[in-house]
């Protein structure tokens, strides 16, 4: 589905306030500290997020390879109580308060420097996704849903699913689906209100439960390395280049054989 003129204008309407709100934060252009030795607190984080940032279960987020600016913003949001979670809030309290949040910066730098092995996340280990889910998730991510005024996710989360560090937009590629679904539900319910200008709440409220599941399942299996030079310009073009089938960005072996 080519993005028409109306689609493009809708996209700009979503983007402009977000960019303006984000420009006011400290996260633009931040340079992570060099030290990537694990800070002492990592021993605590490891119980759920793994020592090198690959979570121990799909309900916990992988932190490896997440961008520094988003990780830092998020840790600060937990610290100030802007973002709350019954499990995570007590954990941030175990990290001593330090001037200029130096220790949160060290944690963000450490986890962002770890490489996420997307083939080995707990989400991928849980099993393949169906072709229907992969196609529906792909479509929502790259094209949005004009009928429900849902912008494409690619507009902010990038053509390869790696996010946009310059605006603290998180990487979604390779993230566990169970975690992603829970966040979309929280954005929709208003219990997570961390995005500038509430962009994610506005979007999540317009998603159906199956759409949340499908896009999350797609993202869990999405490999930036399979989207060289960015995502496909059209599904038809992808099918032409891949006559054996499949879905852009997903290893064919992870799509369940359909009847
Ligand atoms: C007992 C399990 C547990 C431990 C230990 C733990 N966390 Fe978490 N963490 C969670 C859960 C659960 C969430 C998801 C919270 C939610 O749904 O909002 C989370 C979320 C996060 C996120 C948000 C990720 C994202 O993509 O938005 C970051 C960053 C994070 N934790 C960092 C840490 C750090 C750093 C430590 C160590 C100081 C730590 N966590 C210790 C359970 C844990
Ligand atoms: C206008 C820009 C924009 C668009 C479009 C957008 N997002 Fe986001 N998204 C964000 C920002 C900014 C955040 C970070 C919020 C914060 O600071 O906590 C985010 C966070 C998220 C998170 C939380 C990730 C985590 O690690 O906790 C999920 C899940 C998500 N977006 C999914 C989507 C999906 C699915 C779509 C498409 C249907 C989408 N987003 C479209 C800007 C956008």
């Amino acid at each position: 589905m080519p993005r028409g003129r109306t689609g493009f204008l809708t996209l700009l309407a979503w983007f402009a306030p977000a960019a303006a709100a984000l420009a006011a934060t400290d996260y633009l252009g931040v340079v992570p500290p060099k030290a990537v030795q694990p800070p002492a607190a990592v021993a605590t984080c490891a119980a759920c997020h793994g020592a090198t940032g690959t979570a121990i279960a799909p309900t916990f987020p992988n932190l490896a390879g997440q961008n520094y600016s988003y990780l830092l913003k998020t840790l600060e949001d937990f610290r100030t109580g802007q973002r709350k979670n019954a499990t995570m809030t007590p954990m941030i309290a175990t990290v001593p308060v330090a001037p200029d949040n130096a220790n949160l910066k060290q944690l963000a730098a450490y986890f962002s420097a770890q490489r996420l092995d997307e083939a080995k996340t707990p989400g991928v280990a849980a099993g393949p996704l169906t072709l229907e889910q992969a196609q529906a998730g792909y479509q929502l991510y790259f094209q949005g849903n004009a009928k429900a005024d849902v912008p494409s996710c690619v507009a902010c989360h990038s053509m390869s699913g790696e996010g946009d560090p310059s605006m603290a937009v998180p990487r979604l590629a390779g993230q566990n689906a169970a975690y992603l679904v829970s966040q979309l539900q929280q954005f929709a319910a208003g219990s997570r209100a961390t995005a500038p200008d509430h962009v994610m709440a506005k979007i999540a409220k317009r998603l159906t439960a199956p759409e949340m599941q499908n896009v999350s399942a797609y993202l869990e299996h999405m490999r930036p390395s399979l989207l060289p030079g960015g995502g496909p310009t059209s599904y038809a073009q992808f099918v032409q280049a891949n006559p054996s089938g499949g879905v852009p960005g997903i290893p064919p072996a992870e799509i369940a054989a359909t009847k």
Side-chain angles (χ1 to χ4, degrees):
M1 182 187 66
R3 189 182 290 142
R5 193 174 145 73
T6 348
F8 184 67
L9 290 177
T10 314
L11 195 67
L12 277 184
W14 280 97
F15 231 149
L22 280 160
T25 73
D26 294 339
Y27 301 99
L28 294 165
V30 284
V31 180
K34 275 278 182 306
V36 288
Q37 287 298 314
V42 169
T44 310
C45 323
C48 301
H49 297 289
T52 55
T54 299
I56 59 144
T59 46
F60 301 121
N62 300 314
L63 304 181
Q66 183 55 275
N67 66 69
Y68 172 78
S69 47
Y70 171 75
L71 280 179
L72 178 58
K73 174 192 183 289
T74 297
L75 291 173
E76 292 183 358
D77 283 348
F78 278 123
R79 168 132 286 164
T80 60
Q82 173 74 24
R83 182 170 169 187
K84 293 188 183 68
N85 174 264
T87 311
M88 188 50 212
T89 300
M91 292 305 136
I92 203 76
T94 69
V95 182
V97 175
D100 197 27
N101 279 339
N103 47 6
L104 299 187
K105 287 180 178 156
Q106 292 296 331
L107 283 166
Y110 171 74
F111 282 115
S112 67
Q114 308 307 308
R115 201 181 76 80
L116 180 67
D117 186 346
E118 296 106 342
K120 297 201 173 125
T121 64
V124 166
L129 78 176
T130 66
L131 183 61
E132 291 72 18
Q133 269 188 316
Q135 283 171 336
Y138 153 80
Q139 183 152 342
L140 191 72
Y141 188 82
F142 284 98
Q143 295 166 357
N145 179 3
K147 277 195 206 123
D149 207 13
V150 175
S152 69
C153 320
V154 70
C156 296
H157 289 277
S158 98
M159 293 297 275
S160 58
E162 291 170 291
D164 181 355
S166 75
M167 301 216 288
V169 177
R171 170 187 174 141
L172 302 177
Q175 189 54 282
N176 301 313
Y179 169 75
L180 292 175
V181 169
S182 81
Q183 299 311 299
L184 291 170
Q185 289 169 340
Q186 288 184 43
F187 282 124
S191 50
R192 178 172 172 186
T194 48
D197 202 36
H198 302 291
V199 280
M200 279 313 303
K202 291 176 197 165
I203 293 169
K205 277 190 214 311
R206 295 172 190 189
L207 297 177
T208 63
E211 280 174 333
M212 288 184 185
Q213 297 284 350
N214 291 338
V215 76
S216 299
Y218 175 76
L219 289 163
E220 177 172 79
H221 292 264
M222 188 196 213
R223 302 284 205 284
S225 59
L226 296 180
L227 296 163
T233 46
S234 80
Y235 190 55
Q237 207 177 62
F238 173 84
V239 170
Q240 207 172 22
N242 298 271
S244 56
V247 175
I250 306 232
E254 289 175 19
I255 297 177
T258 27
K259 37 231 149 75

